[in-house]
Amino acid sequence: MLFPDYRPRRMRRTEGLRRMVRETILTPDDFIYPMFVIDGKGVKNPIDAMPGQYQLSIDNLIPLARAAFDLGVPAVILFGIPDKKDPLATRAYAGDGIVQKAARELKNKLPDLVVITDVCLCAYMDHGHCGVVEKGVVENDASLDLLARTALSHAKAGADMVAPSDMMDGRVAAIREALDEDGRSSVPIMSYAAKYCSSFYGPFREAAGSAPKFGDRRTYQMDPANAVEAIREATMDAEEGADVIMVKPALPYLDIIYRIRQELDLPVAAYNVSGEYAMIKAAAEKGWIDGDRVMMETLTAIKRAGADMILTYFALDAARLLRGKA
Ligand code: PBG
C-alpha cells in the first residue's frame, strides 16, 4: 500500500484513533520501585543526584511502600545501607541486618506487596566490591557461598523474590541450591543477568555507599560493547534456574532487552538505573525538557523494546500520572 492510497496519518488524527492503534500501554503493574533502607528512626536522607529519592529508615519506608502499592505498583526492591562494613560482608547475611529487618516489617505491614531484595555484597564490603577480595582480586568461587547465604537470609526474612546483582559466575545455581535445601523452592530468583559495567550507576553508589575503594567492576560486570555475550549470560542464568532475566541499565541497552526478549522465554526485567533517572531530573529542573513527558516516553520505550517489568525510581510519579489519566 502506497501513498496516496495509504495514509498513515489517518489513524493519528484524533486521540481516540491513536488510542485504538497504540501498541504499548504502560500500567503501574509494570513497575518495581527501588528503595534504600538504613538503620535508625525518622531518617529521610535526600540523595543528591536523585532528586525525590531518599535513604529511609524502616518507619519511613513503610508509608512510602504503601503509597506505591496503593498506586498499583506491585513490588519494591530493597537496597540496604549497613551499620558496618567488613571484608566478609557479614551484615549482608545477618538475621538482624537492615534488609532482613525491613523485609520482615514490610511483609508484616503490607503482606500483598511483593518484596524483592537485591542480593549483593558491595555495600557490605569494606572495599566496596561485589565479591570476596583476595590479593586484590575479586574471587568468584569464594563469593558464591556468601551470596547464597545472603539470599537465603532474605528469604527467611520473608522476601518474595531475591535478585542477585553481583555478576559472579554460577551464583544463580548456588542461590537456587541454598534456597531449595532450606525448603524454599517457591522463592523465585530475578537474575541481573546482563548487567553492564556502566557509568550510569554513579548516583546509586552515592545512595548505597557502594563505590569500590580500588579499581572498578570491569572484571565481573559486562563490557558495554558486547551483545552476543548478553545472550550467553542470560541463557546460563536461565539454565541455572533464574525465573526472571534482568537487563541493566535499560535505556542505553534497549537492543539487549529486545534480543533477550526474542531469544528467551522467561520474563524480562529492565533496570532504568540511577543515572538515567538523574539525567532526566537534571534536565527537567533546568527547564530544558518536560520531565513528565520524557519519563513516560522513556518507560514506554523500555516496555516497547520487550521488558515485562521495569525497575524504576519513577515508579510512583509514573503510576500517579497513569492513575490521573484513567
Ligand atoms: C549493586 C548494584 C548496583 C546497582 C544495583 N545493584 C551498583 C553497582 O553495580 O555498582 C545500580 C542501580 C542504579 O544505578 O540505579 N551491585
Side-chain angles (χ1 to χ4, degrees), residues 187-198:
V187 176
I189 300 174
M190 172 189 276
S191 169
Y192 289 67
K195 176 172 176 178
Y196 286 88
C197 190
S198 172

Side-chain angles (χ1 to χ4, degrees), residues 34 36 50 77 79 118-123 128-130 163-167 192 195-205 208 210-212 217 220-221 246 248-249 271-277 311 313:
F36 300 97
M50 300 173 71
I77 180 165
F79 296 92
D118 181 84
V119 174
C120 198
L121 305 175
C122 55
H129 277 289
C130 303
S165 66
D166 53 283
M167 286 299 278
Y192 289 67
K195 176 172 176 178
Y196 286 88
C197 190
S198 172
S199 299
F200 284 88
Y201 306 151
F204 172 96
R205 291 182 189 166
S210 65
R217 304 208 199 286
Y220 44 105
Q221 298 182 345
M246 195 200 299
K248 179 185 172 194
Y271 201 141
N272 177 220
V273 301
S274 57
E276 298 173 62
Y277 177 83
L311 296 89
Y313 304 98

Side-chain angles (χ1 to χ4, degrees), residues 36-325:
F36 300 97
V37 60
I38 191 164
D39 274 309
K41 272 213 157 49
V43 183
K44 188 178 179 184
N45 301 327
I47 300 161
D48 267 357
M50 300 173 71
Q53 307 303 316
Y54 303 87
Q55 296 177 334
L56 299 167
S57 51
I58 294 173
D59 55 331
N60 281 335
L61 181 89
I62 304 284
L64 193 60
R66 177 174 288 120
F69 186 73
D70 289 346
L71 283 164
V73 175
V76 300
I77 180 165
L78 297 179
F79 296 92
I81 295 124
D83 45 3
K84 157 172 120 37
K85 298 174 192 269
D86 61 43
L88 284 173
T90 48
R91 300 302 291 163
Y93 40 88
D96 64 348
I98 183 65
V99 165
Q100 290 81 353
K101 282 194 287 193
R104 232 175 264 126
E105 199 56 22
L106 275 172
K107 288 311 291 184
N108 185 16
K109 297 277 163 52
L110 299 164
D112 296 329
L113 175 74
V114 176
V115 174
I116 309 171
T117 54
D118 181 84
V119 174
C120 198
L121 305 175
C122 55
Y124 304 85
M125 289 287 198
D126 49 9
H127 47 64
H129 277 289
C130 303
V132 175
V133 171
E134 281 161 18
K135 299 196 183 86
V137 174
V138 179
E139 286 292 341
N140 194 85
D141 298 12
S143 306
L144 297 180
D145 176 51
L146 300 189
L147 290 161
R149 278 161 72 175
T150 303
L152 180 57
S153 75
H154 291 174
K156 283 183 172 166
D160 293 297
M161 175 146 60
V162 292
S165 66
D166 53 283
M167 286 299 278
M168 296 300 120
D169 297 334
R171 94 281 204 191
V172 173
I175 290 171
R176 185 71 272 156
E177 190 185 323
L179 291 172
D180 290 358
E181 270 175 10
D182 200 63
R184 297 176 193 276
S185 58
S186 62
V187 176
I189 300 174
M190 172 189 276
S191 169
Y192 289 67
K195 176 172 176 178
Y196 286 88
C197 190
S198 172
S199 299
F200 284 88
Y201 306 151
F204 172 96
R205 291 182 189 166
E206 168 207 326
S210 65
K213 299 276 176 318
F214 68 90
D216 52 44
R217 304 208 199 286
R218 275 184 284 192
T219 67
Y220 44 105
Q221 298 182 345
M222 282 183 58
D223 184 336
N226 295 355
V228 174
E229 189 188 352
I231 307 298
R232 191 157 60 235
E233 278 280 5
T235 306
M236 276 179 74
D237 285 7
E239 280 168 6
E240 287 180 31
D243 299 278
V244 180
I245 296 294
M246 195 200 299
V247 176
K248 179 185 172 194
L251 201 58
Y253 297 86
L254 293 182
D255 57 324
I256 308 300
I257 297 171
Y258 181 78
R259 288 169 78 145
I260 289 185
R261 170 71 295 153
Q262 303 303 307
E263 303 230 5
L264 275 86
D265 57 4
L266 285 174
V268 175
Y271 201 141
N272 177 220
V273 301
S274 57
E276 298 173 62
Y277 177 83
M279 290 196 303
I280 293 176
K281 284 288 181 184
E285 267 178 22
K286 280 187 165 276
W288 289 352
I289 60 171
D290 179 327
D292 280 352
R293 286 179 179 271
V294 172
M295 164 180 78
M296 296 313 267
E297 185 176 334
T298 298
L299 296 170
T300 302
I302 295 168
K303 184 167 181 181
R304 190 193 63 229
D308 302 292
M309 344 178 166
I310 307 172
L311 296 89
T312 181
Y313 304 98
F314 288 120
L316 273 86
D317 291 346
R320 236 178 250 121
L321 271 187
L322 290 167
R323 279 290 168 105
K325 214 178 59 182

